[in-house]
Amino acid sequence: MKRKKLVLAVSAAVLLGGYTVGIFGQTEGDLTQKQIENPNTLENKEDIAKSVLESTGRSGQYDLQDLGDVTVYLGSDVTGNPQDAIVTVSFGPKNTVVAAYTADGNVYEYTGDLGDFYGVQNIRFVPVPELKKEIVIVREQVNQSLGSFEQSDILRGYVFDGKEYQDVLNTPQKIESSWNNLWNKGELQEPSLWRRVTEETESKWTGGDEPSLTITRYQSYLESDDKGEGEVPGDETFQEKDSRVVVERFYWSDEWNRFILDEAVETATGQPVAIIENLASSPYLLADLPDFKDYRIVRKDGTTAYVDAEELKF
C-alpha cells in the first residue's frame, strides 16, 4: 500500500471509439437512451464500447474482441442533470475504462473521462446540495502481487468542475495482504513465516456546510503456522495476533476543491499544503512495517508528495 523500510514493497493504491449510431440529433461519441437502458444486448454493448473508446481517445488501445462487461450507473438530479450516467467498459483484468455522460433529450452526451481502473466493483452518486454538486464515487478492485499478494478496494471520488472530472478523494476501503518473511532480502535470512494484514471499513457521509466522509477502519494482523514457502496458506491457518480500530474524517475544502484530512504549512517553502493521507493509519503498522514517511500532501500547484512530520508545521 505504501513504501516500507523493509524490502517488502506492498502497494494498495496503485494507482493509483465512438461510431455514429445514425439517429437525428446524435453526434459521434454520444449514446442513445435505448443503449443506456439496454447496455448488454450484443449490438448495444459493442456500440457503447466504440463510443467510449472514441470519446476518451482510446480507439487504438483496446480490441473489441477482448470486450467484457459494460455497465451503466445512473445518477441523481442534484446537478440539474436528472439522468447523469457513468459507463464502465471492461477489457479484462486491470483494464476498465470509465466515462461520464449526461442526458439531453433522448441523447446522452459525453462529458468526461474518469480514467482507467483495474476493475470497478461499484459506482455511486453522493449528492451534496450544499455544494450544488454530486460526487461520483468509484469503488475500484485492485488485485496484485508486488511484494505481497494483495487484494484491495479503493474509494476514488470525482467532481465535475464544468470542464472535466477532478479527482477529489482517494482512500483504501478494504485490504487483505499476505506475504512471507523469506521475501525480505535483508542481511539476515529470516525463517519462513506467513503474515497477513486485513482492513474492513464502515463509511458515513455527512452533509451540511462542511460535507465529510468518516471512515472507521477495523484492522488486524495475523500469522500462519504453515511453514511452507510456496502458495499462500489457507485462511484457517492464520491466527490473529493484533488488531485496532482507526477513525478518519475527510472533509470538503473549498480552498483545495477536494476532501482532505487536515491543513499544514510546508516548512521548506512556507506554503500551505493539504494532508490527503495519514500513513499512521496503515494496517501494515500492526506488522511492524513502518512507512518511510508520515503524510501524503498536495500542494497548491497540484503536485503531491510523501513527507515526514518534521517537514510540516500544523
Side-chain angles (χ1 to χ4, degrees):
M1 174 176 138
K2 312 173 181 80
R3 298 175 296 168
K4 311 295 173 194
K5 288 185 178 177
L6 300 182
V7 174
L8 172 66
V10 187
S11 172
V14 177
L15 330 193
L16 131 163
Y19 285 32
T20 301
V21 179
I23 65 167
F24 180 77
Q26 182 180 357
T27 60
E28 187 174 11
D30 291 343
L31 301 176
T32 67
Q33 185 172 350
K34 182 179 178 181
Q35 289 172 329
I36 289 292
E37 293 175 348
N38 303 279
N40 280 300
T41 65
L42 181 59
E43 180 181 4
N44 287 347
K45 188 174 182 178
E46 292 193 357
D47 285 342
I48 289 172
K50 291 174 185 177
S51 294
V52 168
L53 294 179
E54 173 66 24
S55 297
T56 61
R58 294 180 177 83
S59 293
Q61 186 173 339
Y62 296 107
D63 190 333
L64 287 178
Q65 291 185 350
D66 299 324
L67 179 61
D69 294 332
V70 173
T71 306
V72 175
Y73 300 86
L74 293 177
S76 69
D77 60 355
V78 174
T79 57
N81 298 314
Q83 291 295 318
D84 289 339
I86 303 295
V87 179
T88 70
V89 181
S90 172
F91 294 92
K94 305 182 182 181
N95 293 302
T96 297
V97 181
V98 181
Y101 293 79
T102 191
D104 183 7
N106 292 325
V107 174
Y108 283 77
E109 298 178 344
Y110 171 75
T111 55
D113 181 0
L114 273 69
D116 293 281
F117 297 80
Y118 270 64
V120 174
Q121 184 185 62
N122 187 35
I123 291 178
R124 61 181 295 205
F125 295 79
V126 177
V128 186
E130 294 80 10
L131 301 178
K132 296 182 180 179
K133 298 177 181 179
E134 63 184 0
I135 306 161
V136 178
I137 300 293
V138 180
R139 183 162 180 163
E140 180 181 23
Q141 283 187 314
V142 182
N143 297 332
Q144 58 186 345
S145 179
L146 295 174
S148 76
F149 295 103
E150 181 172 279
Q151 297 178 334
S152 58
D153 291 356
I154 312 297
L155 281 190
R156 303 189 186 275
Y158 300 86
V159 168
F160 188 64
D161 66 2
K163 296 182 180 179
E164 59 185 359
Y165 281 85
Q166 299 289 340
D167 182 355
V168 299
L169 177 69
N170 188 323
T171 187
Q173 184 77 353
K174 182 179 181 179
I175 296 172
E176 181 179 298
S177 179
S178 305
W179 70 94
N180 195 305
N181 268 5
L182 287 173
W183 301 348
N184 178 37
K185 300 177 181 179
E187 294 181 2
L188 298 177
Q189 183 66 50
E190 298 188 39
S192 177
L193 172 63
W194 282 99
R195 313 170 78 186
R196 173 177 290 176
V197 294
T198 68
E199 178 177 278
E200 298 284 348
T201 61
E202 294 178 355
S203 301
K204 179 182 179 182
W205 290 94
T206 302
D209 295 334
E210 193 178 80
S212 65
L213 169 64
T214 300
I215 299 181
T216 303
R217 306 184 185 278
Y218 301 93
Q219 302 174 345
S220 61
Y221 167 65
L222 307 93
E223 294 179 356
S224 172
D225 56 12
D226 189 319
K227 303 302 180 184
E229 302 174 12
E231 296 182 357
V232 178
D235 293 344
E236 70 280 359
T237 69
F238 283 89
Q239 293 85 41
E240 185 176 273
K241 300 297 183 180
D242 199 3
S243 65
R244 68 173 182 172
V245 178
V246 177
V247 179
E248 291 190 300
R249 178 176 175 270
F250 292 84
Y251 64 91
W252 178 264
S253 169
D254 285 330
E255 180 179 356
W256 295 95
N257 196 38
R258 64 169 299 128
F259 286 92
I260 66 174
L261 288 167
D262 203 351
E263 294 180 271
V265 173
E266 194 170 15
T267 54
T269 63
Q271 297 299 310
V273 296
I275 309 297
I276 58 175
E277 184 178 2
N278 182 355
L279 302 187
S281 298
S282 166
Y284 290 100
L285 269 66
L286 289 175
D288 294 324
L289 296 179
D291 290 281
F292 279 129
K293 301 294 183 179
D294 297 307
Y295 299 103
R296 187 182 184 209
I297 63 169
V298 61
R299 303 184 179 95
K300 285 293 187 180
D301 62 3
T303 60
T304 63
Y306 287 98
V307 300
D308 289 318
E310 293 76 13
E311 299 176 61
L312 303 176
K313 182 179 180 181
F314 290 90

